[in-house]
Amino acid sequence: MCQACYGAKHLTACGDPACGELVDAGVQALGKAWHEKCFKCAACHMPLKDQPFREKGGAPYCEACHLHRFAPKCHACGKGCREVVTTAALPGRSWHPDCFVRASCHGRLDGEFYAKEEQMYCGPCHELKFLPRCKKCSKPITGSVITALAAKWHDACFTCCLCNNAIGTARFHQLPTSAPPHASAAAA
């Protein structure tokens, strides 16, 4: 059998479109045969024989180029992510696991968190930064809130200034003093 007939029956075109030559023995990858010198990263042209690679659009890429060009970008550092953390609270964003941190205290977010103003906060930081403060005790109000006398109060902190009983949503009277705005009890 002549070389031309042998090539037509047993050889295939190189997977590199720029080459166009037939391949007898070489690298088998991406469903094609390649000359060893032709099987290289489509971006940086690094030889890929015996190297890990990724495919995009039918072309081989070294892992570094694939990561740089095609992987989701970390919302925090802007670099490509191999391992991606995403959240329904901030859709369309990706993070490296080590970059997925709390906005205030910068600890790693690996449990419950709150998304606010496109940032993530742990429970304690969320309470400190965003929850209303009680007029009497200055602590964050996590449950129901009473709004009265131009302030916000815990149910248990909105008390009569004379007997210290909780007023809740009952009627009250404000004393005309410069004392803190605690209320005196009054029958509804």
Side-chain angles (χ1 to χ4, degrees), residues 80-134:
C81 297
R82 273 195 187 98
E83 284 184 68
V84 176
V85 174
T86 57
T87 173
L90 296 170
R93 304 235 172 110
S94 301
W95 291 267
H96 294 107
D98 289 339
C99 292
F100 193 59
V101 296
R102 304 169 192 158
S104 291
C105 62
H106 306 291
R108 190 168 174 176
L109 277 167
D110 51 9
E112 184 180 12
F113 67 90
Y114 299 86
K116 193 83 162 186
E117 298 174 353
E118 298 197 8
Q119 298 288 324
M120 283 92 47
Y121 297 88
C122 61
C125 290
H126 179 262
E127 287 179 9
L128 288 172
K129 187 166 176 109
F130 297 106
L131 294 184
R133 300 267 172 191
C134 176

